[in-house]
Amino acid sequence: MIRERSCIVKAGGTGRATQMGKTGEETGADGSMVSIADYYAGKNVLITGATGFMGKVLVEKLLRSCPEVQTLYLLVRPKAGQSMHERVSDMMKCKLFDRVREDNPDFHQKIVPISSELTQPALAISPEDVERLTSCVNIIFHCAATIRFDEPLKHALQLNVMATQQLLNLAQQMHHLQAFIHISTAYANCNRRHIDEIIYPPPVEPKKLIDSLEWMEDSIVRDITPRLIGDRPNTYTYTKALAECVVQRESSKLSIGIIRPSIVGASWQEPFPGWIDNFNGPSGVFIAAGKGILRTMRANNDAVADLIPVDVVINLTLAAGWYTAVHRLTFPPAALVYNCTTGGINPFHWGEIEHHVMSSFKRNPLEQAFRRPNANITSNYLMNQYWILVSHKFPALIYDLYLRLSGQKPQMMRIFNRLHKAIGLLEYFSSQDWEWNSENMNMLMSHLSPEDRKTFNFDVRQLNWPEYIENYCIGTKKYVLNEDMSDIPAAKQHLRKLRNIRYTFNTLLLVFIWRVFIARSQMARNIWYFVVSLCFKFLSYFRASSTLTN
Ligand SMILES: CCCCCCCCCCCCCCCCCCCC(=O)SCCNC(=O)CCNC(=O)[C@H](O)C(C)(C)COP(=O)(O)OP(=O)(O)OC[C@H]1O[C@@H](n2cnc3c(N)ncnc32)[C@H](O)[C@@H]1OP(=O)(O)O
Ligand SMILES: NC(=O)C1=CN([C@@H]2O[C@H](COP(=O)(O)OP(=O)(O)OC[C@H]3O[C@@H](n4cnc5c(N)ncnc54)[C@H](OP(=O)(O)O)[C@@H]3O)[C@@H](O)[C@H]2O)C=CC1
């Protein structure tokens, strides 16, 4: 059930009763549009992907800024030997939830994990849970997806497209659903240069693809994948585009919002600056560069680096949930798409990112760096290959030799091979520019009250990039690598040691090369004697002139 005609929404935390306005908008008793927190008060929210990077931030923000929310139903699967209850309880112990814990130590009572494996028929939700969800859920946030770029097509299709379809089917059975918010990606249409806030025709009819891949062997699917994905770089962007199409097709029956974030990075402000918990996208690149492992990468210095802080995405998502729900009766039957990007509003470039990442890691070095952080980006393929040879493969070879000689297992070459694979998958995104229209983001902002604009801030014009990048790098150190800030003096000392090793190594190498050269070439010997005699002459002249002046 959806697009219900009558609805009395439970009163908000402020005690403000809400009702349907003439236009179908939910309004306060005074006729003004209800605030975001007031809207979520008393609501039952269903979230997929809550254990992921963005899902966690969404759960945290809902609990902190909408404290009167009724219940958060999280679709979670057991994983790595942990039950779903253990996983959710571990998640709530995470530092990210410190502020919520402070405000409301009993916040866990609002969280109800529901066992679900999204790739299974009917999402593997038990009939009792289906009953419970269909009778009370008011808003769905669909965050779950596989975001791996190397995911086999069948699996990416199963999770990103088929599970989305199944969730939409479930949503249609819900008696009180007011909004379905789907998290897509700004790169779903990365085969286009200019991307509007519309759903583009899918590269293929999703149902036909699902039906035809069903009977095919995995090896055949692997072989035809490049032809199927065509001008998209990976199965991720391809299946996310198909998912958008599947979602849009339900928009005559459901009130739908689609959020398209660009490259989601660490938090900007909330719950604290720099929160990040994974190696995805730029985070892995920053860490590898900070550890002195990554020294070169193909990227365009002048291309816009469309990073967007995770808290901005989540604030926009919650605001879009509110907007979709309160306008559900007045919407035309089409999903509203929000391109959630920074490039058109407050652009920053990969060259600038490189500069700030490097200087930040020099001020706040990571522990036990392999070499001093000194990475460069270049758009020139040959130049990049040269630096890979000199700055990656050669040092890896020497280090592995050292490990072998000291009786340890060589590992550096293996690490570099994995790094090159990962970087190779990212280069498509760092070597070119896209232009996103983000009018709906501005439109949404204009509908927010001044208070909501502060509480659910997604105004990226205020973002100070150098400060953000500094906090991002510190965040990778503290929250991804679990390193202590008090160890910075020791890390700096380690970098000084590495610098001295490099000077010594370079000097020895120079002397060695020269000696080899001299032994083999008469001309090199002549040059050598000439330079040495010139030095002696200069020295004696210097001595003689200083004796005269004394
Ligand atoms: C030169 C420096 C200066 C900096 C300036 C220039 C910066 C340019 C940066 C460019 C970044 C561009 C990013 C664009 C992304 C845009 C995409 C659109 C956005 C989205 O919609 S989705 C989000 C993006 N998705 C991803 O990023 C996923 C990409 N990752 C993958 O596809 C796979 O992880 C990958 C890379 C194929 C690797 O697979 P695999 O080898 O199987 O490894 P695992 O993922 O299973 O990881 C195993 C293990 O290793 C840890 N790990 C992963 N990466 C790193 C790393 N870089 N460093 C250290 N450790 C890493 C991982 O956490 C796992 O650990 P476990 O303990 O969990 O086993
Ligand atoms: N990160 C980014 O840069 C961007 C992300 N996005 C989109 O945002 C959304 C969230 O991304 P992000 O948080 O980064 O991704 P994560 O990989 O961190 O999280 C993915 C979530 O999906 C869940 N999930 C995956 N497979 C299944 C399954 N079979 N059954 C149940 N749950 C499953 C994971 O659960 P589990 O913990 O059990 O694995 C996890 O909670 C995605 O839709 C992504 O496309 C869009 C643009 C950029």
Side-chain angles (χ1 to χ4, degrees):
M1 131 53 252
I2 256 329
R3 292 194 181 277
E4 57 200 297
R5 288 286 139 196
S6 67
C7 180
I8 301 288
V9 183
K10 212 170 147 182
T14 54
R16 226 173 95 176
T18 59
Q19 61 194 37
M20 295 307 298
K22 278 196 197 111
T23 57
E25 294 172 355
E26 252 166 61
T27 55
D30 56 0
S32 62
M33 213 152 86
V34 70
S35 75
I36 298 182
D38 279 345
Y39 170 72
Y40 283 104
K43 294 292 190 306
N44 294 304
V45 182
L46 175 70
I47 302 174
T48 71
T51 49
F53 170 47
M54 285 169 49
K56 275 193 281 227
V57 180
L58 176 65
V59 170
E60 192 277 339
K61 177 71 181 176
L62 250 176
L63 291 167
R64 182 162 48 83
S65 297
C66 308
E68 300 296 323
V69 66
Q70 178 90 14
T71 305
L72 306 189
Y73 292 100
L74 313 184
L75 296 195
V76 184
R77 56 179 173 172
K79 194 174 166 185
Q82 274 194 307
S83 72
M84 65 157 186
H85 286 289
E86 284 168 338
R87 294 191 67 202
V88 172
S89 115
D90 272 5
M91 175 181 115
M92 289 185 297
K93 283 184 203 140
C94 159
K95 182 172 169 52
L96 180 72
F97 287 85
D98 280 0
R99 277 181 69 185
V100 184
R101 208 173 295 111
E102 236 169 68
D103 295 348
N104 173 16
D106 294 329
F107 76 92
H108 59 273
Q109 288 173 358
K110 288 186 181 279
I111 294 184
V112 177
I114 301 277
S115 176
S116 171
E117 165 54 65
L118 297 179
T119 53
Q120 294 301 307
L123 309 174
I125 305 178
S126 73
E128 301 75 48
D129 283 338
V130 169
E131 175 72 37
R132 179 145 65 141
L133 295 177
T134 52
S135 65
C136 73
V137 167
N138 305 111
I139 304 134
I140 297 180
F141 291 102
H142 179 35
C143 301
T146 167
I147 63 166
R148 293 182 69 96
F149 294 154
D150 61 346
E151 195 71 76
L153 181 58
K154 250 191 190 179
H155 187 251
L157 201 64
Q158 251 178 356
L159 187 54
N160 295 352
V161 187
M162 290 158 76
T164 302
Q165 181 63 66
Q166 298 208 62
L167 190 66
L168 287 159
N169 297 347
L170 179 67
Q172 286 183 45
Q173 298 168 43
M174 293 182 173
H175 306 297
H176 304 290
L177 193 69
Q178 299 183 350
F180 183 104
I181 303 299
H182 170 73
I183 311 294
S184 182
T185 160
Y187 295 93
N189 301 291
C190 59
N191 52 333
R192 296 169 182 271
R193 288 295 105 197
H194 179 90
I195 299 159
D196 280 317
E197 291 172 306
I198 56 170
I199 312 284
Y200 290 97
V204 60
E205 173 53 42
K207 173 124 181 44
K208 274 193 191 153
L209 183 68
I210 292 165
D211 289 345
S212 40
L213 293 197
E214 205 171 23
W215 57 265
M216 271 190 217
E217 272 181 33
D218 291 352
S219 60
I220 303 179
V221 179
R222 199 179 46 235
D223 290 346
I224 62 169
T225 297
R227 296 205 52 189
L228 282 172
I229 64 174
D231 52 4
R232 282 186 177 74
N234 51 45
T235 54
Y236 170 67
T237 50
Y238 180 72
T239 51
K240 288 299 268 191
L242 296 181
E244 283 194 354
C245 164
V246 159
V247 171
Q248 193 205 19
R249 287 185 183 165
E250 306 299 329
S251 58
S252 59
K253 299 172 220 142
L254 301 170
S255 297
I256 292 177
I258 296 180
I259 316 292
R260 284 189 188 146
S262 45
I263 305 170
V264 184
S267 59
W268 168 28
Q269 291 168 320
E270 291 183 276
F272 44 82
W275 188 78
I276 178 81
D277 73 345
N278 61 71
F279 289 99
N280 292 329
S283 312
V285 175
F286 292 177
I287 291 172
K291 286 277 182 191
I293 297 174
L294 181 79
R295 312 280 289 191
T296 182
M297 175 172 178
R298 250 181 87 199
N300 182 348
N301 273 293
D302 304 322
V304 170
D306 212 299
L307 253 61
I308 184 116
V310 63
D311 45 343
V312 169
V313 180
I314 295 309
N315 288 344
L316 176 89
T317 302
L318 286 171
W322 159 83
Y323 187 80
T324 310
V326 295
H327 288 92
R328 66 190 177 279
L329 302 180
T330 51
F331 267 155
L336 209 53
V337 178
Y338 301 85
N339 283 345
C340 182
T341 59
T342 50
I345 306 165
N346 182 0
F348 205 56
H349 303 87
W350 288 118
E352 295 170 283
I353 298 246
E354 180 218 78
H355 169 75
H356 289 287
V357 168
M358 287 305 107
S359 50
S360 173
F361 278 129
K362 277 177 189 147
R363 278 190 299 277
N364 312 293
L366 300 179
E367 287 170 23
Q368 290 305 316
F370 175 60
R371 293 181 70 192
R372 283 172 68 77
N374 185 15
N376 283 301
I377 56 177
T378 168
S379 49
N380 186 308
Y381 174 80
L382 284 179
M383 192 63 107
N384 188 46
Q385 288 304 312
Y386 168 77
W387 283 118
I388 284 182
L389 200 71
V390 173
S391 299
H392 289 179
K393 295 202 168 159
F394 185 58
L397 213 71
I398 305 234
Y399 192 70
D400 276 354
L401 188 72
Y402 158 77
L403 288 179
R404 257 183 226 280
L405 291 177
S406 55
Q408 299 169 67
K409 210 173 142 211
Q411 52 164 341
M412 224 46 217
M413 215 38 156
R414 202 169 40 86
I415 291 178
F416 272 108
N417 287 339
R418 280 189 57 192
L419 181 70
H420 292 149
K421 179 188 161 198
I423 297 292
L425 295 170
L426 299 180
E427 282 174 355
Y428 173 91
F429 301 95
S430 55
S431 307
Q432 41 190 327
D433 268 319
W434 285 266
E435 220 179 79
W436 287 276
N437 173 350
S438 50
E439 266 169 32
N440 284 341
M441 197 160 147
N442 298 335
M443 176 281 293
L444 185 58
M445 207 180 313
S446 71
H447 278 81
L448 260 50
S449 67
E451 194 145 313
D452 276 349
R453 259 184 236 181
K454 270 195 227 139
T455 315
F456 298 91
N457 182 15
F458 52 87
D459 184 357
V460 290
R461 284 171 304 185
Q462 302 162 7
L463 183 68
N464 175 332
W465 282 108
E467 191 183 296
Y468 173 69
I469 296 295
E470 173 101 6
N471 287 330
Y472 194 157
C473 292
I474 293 176
T476 60
K477 178 175 172 68
K478 281 168 47 178
Y479 311 119
V480 183
L481 301 174
N482 288 319
E483 293 184 6
D484 212 315
M485 292 300 278
S486 62
D487 291 340
I488 285 184
K492 282 190 173 162
Q493 176 64 30
H494 178 71
L495 290 190
R496 279 194 289 274
K497 196 175 100 188
L498 287 176
R499 188 195 49 199
N500 294 341
I501 291 176
R502 186 167 64 97
Y503 285 161
T504 314
F505 181 82
N506 286 354
T507 313
L508 289 177
L509 190 71
L510 207 74
V511 169
F512 174 75
I513 292 172
W514 189 239
R515 290 296 304 161
V516 170
F517 213 50
I518 281 184
R520 282 161 197 265
S521 149
Q522 182 58 47
M523 194 197 283
R525 267 198 298 273
N526 290 344
I527 295 173
W528 176 245
Y529 293 138
F530 174 72
V531 172
V532 172
S533 62
L534 212 65
C535 287
F536 272 117
K537 274 186 191 144
F538 178 74
L539 262 177
S540 4
Y541 168 78
F542 184 72
R543 269 210 210 108
S545 57
S546 60
T547 324
L548 275 179
T549 42
N550 287 340

